[in-house]
Amino acid sequence: MPVRKTYPIKITLFLLTSTLIFLASTFALASNNNVPNNEVPNNSDSSIPYCVDPDWMPYEAIDDGKHIGISSDYLSIIKQHTNLTFTLVTTSTWQQTIKYLKTGQCHLVLMLNKSPKREKYLTFSDVYYRSPNVLVSLREQPFIQDLSNLNGRSLGVVKNYRIAEYIETYFPEIQKTYVGSEGEGVKLVAEKKLDAFVGSMLSLNARTQQYGYGNLKVAGWAGPEDELRFGVIKGKEAILADINYAITQISEKQRIDIFKKWNNVRIIKEFDHTLLFQLLAIVLVITLLFILRQRQLNRFNRLLSEKNKELESLTQVLEKTNHELEYISFHDPLTDLYNRSYFSQHIKDKIHDINRSQSPTCLMLVDIDHFKQVNDELGHNVGDEVLTQLSQVFNEVIRQSDIAARWGGEEFVFLLPETSIDSAKKLATRLLNAVREHHFNKVGQVTVSIGIAEYDHKSDFHNWFERADKALYRAKDAGRDQLSC
């Protein structure tokens, strides 16, 4: 979801808490390793048919018949520490996956919560992944905070998910709409057909970014966190011993690497220190009550010192995590340039400054010539390498005051402050020459086309961008490898 300049205290607390939950869970799960590394249990050689949720990214999904996502990475680790083999049984919906488990067409499901209904036909492994659930609503709606504050608003939830069972049990008064997938639920909220949707934080964040739902926000915390496990149908429980053994072998580094690979959560821009002081006050009060109850005054100073050290360490971890996630949310992961979201947000403030100072400013669009041919003939990995090398060329040519961003695919946008059209043409010419002279691995020479438009102090960004885009296409039509203003 796009990042706002500030967030209310409760949403800040939610994001900080979710980070803590992940760090704590990975440490706790990794520390349960009580089985020697060189003792691999005996297993059956028969292949185990398994199912997944076909549409629950980044946790798991089926893409072109292949199992992808977080659970796929964990399954690879399970295979390394057992002699078990697995065969994917493809399904089209989560409801079909549940049906296959009940009919025995699948013996195993990789990532789900334990619940009373599911325990009737499944036996569960130890927990190997934790994640919070959140509420998503339209940006203009007030914050919901939690399920008890829906106040008659409609709520979407995926049928047969554990959170649906939780709401049915503890919040029967909520007006529920069951959907087939999280993607469907988020779409209904974006189209104003539902007031809110509940689901897992990582997957909902991925949905909103994938489909460009900039009108949505995280509106609150929802129910218990996901405690994800393997589920085995009744009669096949024997393989759980092997799976639980393999879970104990998963290192903390492997868990963190998987989290970084699939996490795209955006963090707040500003850290509210008042919130941290409030948390500290709560901890101190609880500690004081405990000490008074135990009548051990001599332990008070020691316990208080330990709590302070823990909080200081936690602050350092959170500050480091904030910086890393803030950088990720504003930059394109492939080229390391700014991303479209950051540029779109920054240009609004910049136009205000330009109108006030009346200084000349240009917008420059750059598009790689014949880039589709590179992807089709040499593959997308080579295409990605071209984009990475090209961004390095950009950084060598542009000025420190210029702002470069990847707009999408092979198209880039540059904001050139305090730059006249003539100066912009000189900069574009240097950029054309630098790209021509650069040797791209496995491709050789690559060229670009450039369109330039100067801000006229009358129109908005959309009109300004449209003029630069038309100039770009004139450069393309004129034969490419050139600029047009």
Side-chain angles (χ1 to χ4, degrees):
M1 279 156 278
V3 179
R4 296 172 65 96
K5 290 186 177 179
T6 59
Y7 278 117
I9 288 176
K10 291 193 176 181
I11 295 304
T12 305
L13 175 59
F14 154 68
L15 290 170
L16 294 178
T17 304
S18 63
T19 304
L20 288 175
I21 289 171
F22 168 76
L23 293 173
S25 64
T26 54
F27 175 79
L29 290 170
S31 65
N32 287 333
N33 184 1
N34 297 320
V35 184
N37 289 334
N38 59 350
E39 296 182 9
V40 178
N42 294 325
N43 304 290
S44 171
D45 292 332
S46 60
S47 183
I48 302 167
Y50 76 95
C51 291
V52 300
D53 189 328
D55 187 21
W56 195 35
M57 288 298 288
Y59 295 105
E60 59 184 13
I62 296 176
D63 183 22
D64 291 333
K66 295 182 180 180
H67 173 203
I68 61 173
I70 292 174
S71 67
S72 174
D73 290 349
Y74 275 99
L75 184 62
S76 297
I77 299 175
I78 297 299
K79 292 177 182 178
Q80 295 173 11
H81 294 287
T82 67
N83 294 326
L84 298 173
T85 57
F86 303 87
T87 300
L88 174 66
V89 178
T90 60
T91 56
S92 58
T93 64
W94 174 245
Q95 286 69 36
Q96 187 179 24
T97 293
I98 294 296
K99 178 182 177 181
Y100 279 17
L101 290 168
K102 292 180 178 180
T103 59
Q105 292 170 266
C106 292
H107 293 175
L108 176 71
V109 63
L110 301 188
M111 207 170 211
L112 79 171
N113 289 283
K114 180 193 290 188
S115 71
K117 288 185 179 180
R118 291 172 179 173
E119 286 183 300
K120 295 178 181 178
Y121 57 93
L122 294 175
T123 304
F124 294 88
S125 73
D126 296 334
V127 176
Y128 71 94
Y129 197 90
R130 301 176 188 271
S131 180
N133 286 297
V134 296
L135 290 162
V136 171
S137 72
L138 289 171
R139 187 173 297 279
E140 65 265 19
Q141 293 296 321
F143 282 92
I144 301 172
Q145 299 182 6
D146 55 43
L147 291 169
S148 63
N149 292 320
L150 280 169
N151 298 326
R153 282 175 280 190
S154 59
L155 176 69
V157 62
V158 178
K159 187 176 183 181
N160 290 327
Y161 272 17
R162 191 279 302 266
I163 190 66
E165 296 180 20
Y166 176 84
I167 294 172
E168 291 168 359
T169 302
Y170 297 103
F171 297 92
E173 73 280 2
I174 290 178
Q175 179 185 343
K176 298 175 288 294
T177 297
Y178 294 105
V179 297
S181 68
E182 288 188 338
E184 179 185 348
V186 171
K187 182 174 183 292
L188 290 174
V189 176
E191 295 175 349
K192 301 183 179 181
K193 296 178 181 178
L194 283 175
D195 294 321
F197 182 78
V198 59
S200 179
M201 181 184 69
L202 288 183
S203 60
L204 291 187
N205 184 67
R207 300 286 184 186
T208 55
Q209 294 191 51
Q210 177 184 359
Y211 297 110
Y213 294 140
N215 60 336
L216 300 184
K217 68 178 180 183
V218 173
W221 183 273
E225 68 171 357
D226 287 330
E227 295 181 337
L228 301 173
R229 315 161 185 257
F230 288 79
V232 179
I233 64 173
K234 300 293 185 180
K236 301 295 181 179
E237 298 94 337
I239 64 173
L240 277 178
D242 295 349
I243 292 174
N244 283 332
Y245 161 79
I247 290 174
T248 66
Q249 303 301 302
I250 303 173
S251 69
E252 183 176 0
K253 182 180 184 304
Q254 287 174 315
R255 296 181 186 277
I256 293 176
D257 287 344
I258 293 173
F259 178 78
K260 288 181 177 179
K261 175 181 177 182
W262 294 103
N263 175 50
N264 56 1
V265 176
R266 298 186 179 190
I267 200 68
I268 57 174
K269 290 179 63 177
E270 299 178 1
F271 181 79
D272 190 345
H273 293 280
T274 303
L275 176 62
L276 183 60
F277 295 145
Q278 292 173 345
L279 291 174
L280 175 61
I282 293 172
V283 173
L284 292 178
V285 169
I286 294 174
T287 304
L288 179 61
L289 291 175
F290 173 77
I291 293 170
L292 292 175
R293 181 169 57 88
Q294 297 297 323
R295 296 183 179 277
Q296 295 179 347
L297 186 61
N298 58 323
R299 297 181 58 195
F300 175 77
N301 290 330
R302 180 173 62 84
L303 290 175
L304 183 59
S305 176
E306 291 176 355
K307 293 296 181 182
N308 284 336
K309 289 179 180 179
E310 291 175 4
L311 287 171
E312 182 179 354
S313 175
L314 174 61
T315 300
Q316 294 173 356
V317 171
L318 290 176
E319 287 178 350
K320 180 180 178 182
T321 303
N322 278 353
H323 288 309
E324 292 176 352
L325 293 177
E326 183 177 16
Y327 183 86
I328 292 172
S329 68
F330 287 152
H331 288 78
D332 175 61
L334 180 62
T335 64
D336 213 29
L337 299 175
Y338 285 115
N339 58 25
R340 181 170 182 167
S341 175
Y342 173 83
F343 192 89
S344 298
Q345 176 178 312
H346 180 82
I347 196 67
K348 296 177 182 178
D349 297 332
K350 194 63 182 176
I351 288 177
H352 176 75
D353 295 339
I354 296 169
N355 286 328
R356 183 178 56 186
S357 64
Q358 295 294 305
S359 60
T361 302
C362 286
L363 194 68
M364 183 170 72
L365 299 184
V366 178
D367 188 87
I368 306 174
D369 296 331
H370 303 297
F371 187 70
K372 184 177 184 300
Q373 184 177 349
V374 173
N375 281 331
D376 292 344
E377 295 181 0
L378 301 177
H380 288 276
N381 288 337
V382 175
D384 288 348
E385 188 172 350
V386 169
L387 291 170
T388 301
Q389 293 182 53
L390 189 62
S391 67
Q392 295 169 357
V393 175
F394 291 161
N395 286 327
E396 293 172 358
V397 175
I398 64 174
R399 303 160 303 184
Q400 188 173 4
S401 60
D402 300 332
I403 297 176
R406 184 182 179 191
W407 192 251
E410 67 272 24
E411 190 172 20
F412 301 84
V413 60
F414 297 79
L415 180 66
L416 312 177
E418 298 183 5
T419 304
S420 65
I421 195 71
D422 290 335
S423 297
K425 289 168 66 176
K426 292 178 182 179
L427 177 63
T429 300
R430 292 200 303 273
L431 188 60
L432 286 170
N433 291 332
V435 174
R436 293 186 193 115
E437 294 170 1
H438 185 83
H439 178 78
F440 292 83
N441 297 339
K442 301 180 183 178
V443 177
Q445 187 182 32
V446 170
T447 62
V448 297
S449 298
I450 300 177
I452 305 172
E454 184 175 1
Y455 185 64
D456 60 8
H457 302 283
K458 295 179 182 179
S459 59
D460 57 13
F461 172 68
H462 176 76
N463 180 268
W464 188 14
F465 185 91
E466 189 175 79
R467 289 191 290 113
D469 194 46
K470 289 180 179 178
L472 172 64
Y473 277 94
R474 284 198 299 271
K476 290 280 189 181
D477 293 340
R480 296 183 172 84
D481 190 20
Q482 57 186 281
L483 66 90
S484 175
C485 300

